């Protein structure tokens, strides 16, 4: 059962809440209704190791409001970048807000879906979050009605707890044709959120078709999909620090996942340096974006932790960046009468 507590107030006086779930075997997960931001994932003590929080985050909603690196939150209406903030649907041109260096639209804009308090309803092991994003928000066409259901589930084998999951089911409808690409943006450091660097973490990218090379000047995909074989983009229980020095600017790349529409498949797994603690991401999204915290700039996080460059690794299950302007990429347009449905599942292994 989720418990609810106060998480402080926004500058305009709105009150935010914190929701916490504690499992029978000591796993604790917290999130807030502000941007549905995941605040903490605390693994229980194991052997000689103390309990550890593996998620970057903040102690109150005020700090989430003040910072803009999308810590743990839902990202939309369109995650990642849209070139020049421009797109065309049905011969109508649209200009979005340019919230990234003044020339690119990033993660839904200045407001998006991460900078608002969502309506929340606890239903047993689930929380239903709802939000209506008005027509014109950050330049997007049409009203969008979004529901995100976050559920904690456990599986047992021979009366023994064998698996723990956080299921994130996202649905949306609209009244005008609009691009959509929802995801969550958690930063993981499996050695502990306060250990300064996640480069000792070990990363695996599962069955994939390749990675999308980026233009280093714009951090936008070139349109190609290249093989990962014999490149720094190949991760198979690989120490992240072993590969990052070989990639200009660090990782900010999407992998094309081999998937069939409607099927939820493993996309990535991040593990502590000793591989005792793991989070596996499963999804029905076309891709998994790996961001190595290249622009984290020393924000003060939970309990005074300093989040500098590479302090956390963001794993974002989503459609391809700038898909609305790339005809060869998976469709990103939602039309009236259609229902957008996507799932992201986190599996906790210890």
């Amino acid at each position: 059962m989720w418990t609810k507590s106060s998480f402080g107030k926004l500058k305009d006086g709105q009150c935010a809440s914190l929701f916490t779930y504690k499992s029978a075997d000591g796993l604790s997960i917290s999130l807030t209704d502000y941007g549905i931001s995941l605040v903490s994932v605390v693994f229980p003590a194991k052997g000689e190791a103390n309990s550890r929080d593996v998620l970057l985050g903040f102690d109150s909603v005020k700090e989430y409001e003040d910072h803009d690196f999308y810590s743990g939150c839902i990202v939309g209406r369109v995650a990642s970048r849209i070139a020049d903030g421009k797109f065309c649907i049905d011969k109508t041109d649209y200009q979005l807000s340019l919230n990234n260096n003044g020339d690119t639209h990033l993660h839904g804009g200045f407001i998006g879906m991460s900078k608002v308090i969502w309506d929340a309803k606890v239903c047993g092991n689930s929380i239903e979050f709802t939000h209506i994003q008005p027509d014109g928000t950050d330049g997007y066409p049409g009203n969008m009605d979004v529901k995100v259901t976050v559920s904690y589930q456990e599986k047992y084998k021979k009366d023994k707890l064998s698996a723990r999951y956080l299921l994130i089911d996202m649905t949306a409808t609209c009244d005008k044709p609009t691009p959509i690409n929802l995801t969550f943006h958690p930063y993981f450091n499996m050695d502990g959120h306060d250990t300064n660097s996640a480069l000792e973490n070990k990363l695996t990218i599962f069955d994939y078709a390749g990675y999308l090379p980026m233009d280093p000047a714009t951090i936008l995909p070139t349109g190609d999909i290249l093989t990962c074989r014999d490149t720094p983009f190949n991760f198979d229980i690989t120490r992240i620090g072993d590969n990052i020095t070989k990639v200009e600017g660090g990782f900010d790349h999407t992998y094309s996942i081999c998937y069939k529409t409607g099927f939820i498949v493993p996309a990535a797994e991040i593990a502590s340096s000793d591989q005792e603690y793991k989070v596996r991401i499963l999804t029905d999204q076309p891709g998994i974006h790996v961001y190595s915290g290249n622009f984290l700039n020393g924000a003060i996080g939970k309990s005074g932790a300093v989040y500098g460059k590479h302090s956390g690794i963001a794993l974002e299950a989503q459609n391809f960046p700038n898909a609305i302007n790339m005809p060869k990429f998976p469709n990103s347009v939602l039309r009236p009468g259609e229902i957008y449905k996507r799932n992201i599942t986190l599996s906790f292994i210890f």
Side-chain angles (χ1 to χ4, degrees):
M1 183 74 176
W2 293 91
T3 60
K4 180 180 177 180
S5 58
S6 173
F7 200 49
K9 292 184 179 181
L10 299 178
K11 294 173 184 177
D12 65 4
Q14 290 186 81
C15 295
S17 297
L18 186 72
F19 300 87
T20 301
Y21 192 100
K22 294 184 178 180
S23 70
D25 61 350
L27 179 70
S28 176
I29 302 166
S30 294
L31 68 160
T32 175
D33 49 8
Y34 183 70
I36 322 182
S37 301
L38 292 165
V39 174
S40 65
V41 172
V42 181
F43 283 86
K46 184 178 182 180
E48 297 181 358
N50 295 324
S51 62
R52 69 176 66 175
D53 186 350
V54 300
L55 204 66
L56 274 60
F58 298 102
D59 290 321
S60 73
V61 72
K62 181 183 181 300
E63 295 157 294
Y64 282 90
E65 186 179 23
D66 289 343
H67 291 90
D68 60 359
F69 64 87
Y70 304 95
S71 180
C73 62
I74 188 172
V75 175
R77 183 173 304 191
V78 173
S80 201
R81 292 171 174 83
I82 295 179
D84 303 316
K86 295 179 178 180
F87 63 89
C88 179
I89 297 179
D90 299 337
K91 299 182 180 179
T92 299
D93 294 322
Y94 295 93
Q95 176 66 61
L96 303 176
S97 59
L98 300 176
N99 63 315
N100 184 232
N101 299 323
D103 58 9
T104 307
H105 181 80
L106 176 68
H107 289 335
F110 291 103
I111 301 173
M113 296 184 182
S114 59
K115 294 292 185 181
V116 297
I117 289 183
W118 289 57
D119 293 329
K121 179 182 178 182
V122 176
C123 306
N125 287 355
S126 299
I127 312 173
E128 290 185 357
F129 294 96
T130 55
H131 174 62
I132 297 176
Q133 188 179 62
D135 182 17
T137 302
D138 281 293
Y140 284 101
N143 299 291
M144 178 167 282
D145 193 340
V146 187
K147 181 171 78 170
V148 177
T149 303
V150 179
S151 307
Y152 180 79
Q153 292 186 7
E154 296 176 340
K155 287 188 177 181
Y156 288 81
K157 187 175 182 180
K158 294 183 179 179
D159 297 325
K160 183 179 180 180
L161 180 59
S162 60
R164 309 153 193 86
Y165 301 102
L166 190 71
L167 281 70
I168 303 171
D169 291 297
M170 305 175 289
T171 62
T173 58
C174 62
D175 57 13
K176 291 181 182 178
T178 180
I180 184 171
N181 179 23
L182 303 181
T183 190
F184 272 73
H185 203 286
Y187 287 93
F188 295 102
N189 184 341
M190 300 304 294
D191 287 333
H193 78 100
D194 54 356
T195 57
N196 299 322
S197 174
L199 297 185
E200 296 297 322
N201 286 199
K202 294 181 179 178
L203 180 64
T204 300
I205 306 294
F206 292 105
D207 191 17
Y208 49 80
Y211 77 96
L212 279 58
M214 298 288 185
D215 180 339
T218 62
I219 321 181
L220 287 162
T222 63
D224 298 320
I225 299 178
L226 303 181
T227 181
C228 300
R229 189 179 298 114
D230 299 323
T231 77
F233 295 94
N234 186 52
F235 283 98
D236 184 8
I237 319 180
T238 305
R239 177 182 173 274
I240 295 169
D242 290 343
N243 287 15
I244 199 168
T245 58
K246 305 169 188 175
V247 177
E248 182 180 356
F251 292 101
D252 201 348
H253 297 77
T254 300
Y255 288 77
S256 175
I257 303 300
C258 293
Y259 79 108
K260 296 180 180 179
T261 302
F263 285 84
I264 298 171
V265 299
E269 183 177 280
I270 188 166
S272 57
S273 54
D274 59 8
Q275 297 188 64
E276 291 292 327
Y277 299 91
K278 302 175 183 178
V279 174
R280 180 175 293 183
I281 294 91
L282 304 94
T283 189
D284 56 3
Q285 295 270 36
I288 183 83
H289 191 86
V290 178
Y291 171 54
S292 53
N294 312 318
F295 298 108
L296 296 180
N297 59 4
I300 305 301
K302 290 176 291 189
S303 302
V306 179
Y307 299 147
K309 187 176 183 179
H310 307 320
S311 288
I313 305 298
L315 299 173
E316 312 156 47
Q318 57 173 278
N319 198 353
F320 299 171
N322 201 32
I324 186 64
N325 294 311
M326 308 291 279
K328 293 183 180 180
F329 284 0
N331 173 58
S332 65
V333 176
L334 181 68
R335 296 182 178 276
E338 299 176 342
I339 300 176
Y340 173 91
K341 292 183 179 181
R342 292 292 185 272
N343 172 275
I344 299 170
T345 294
L346 306 181
S347 173
F348 306 103
I349 304 166
F350 57 93

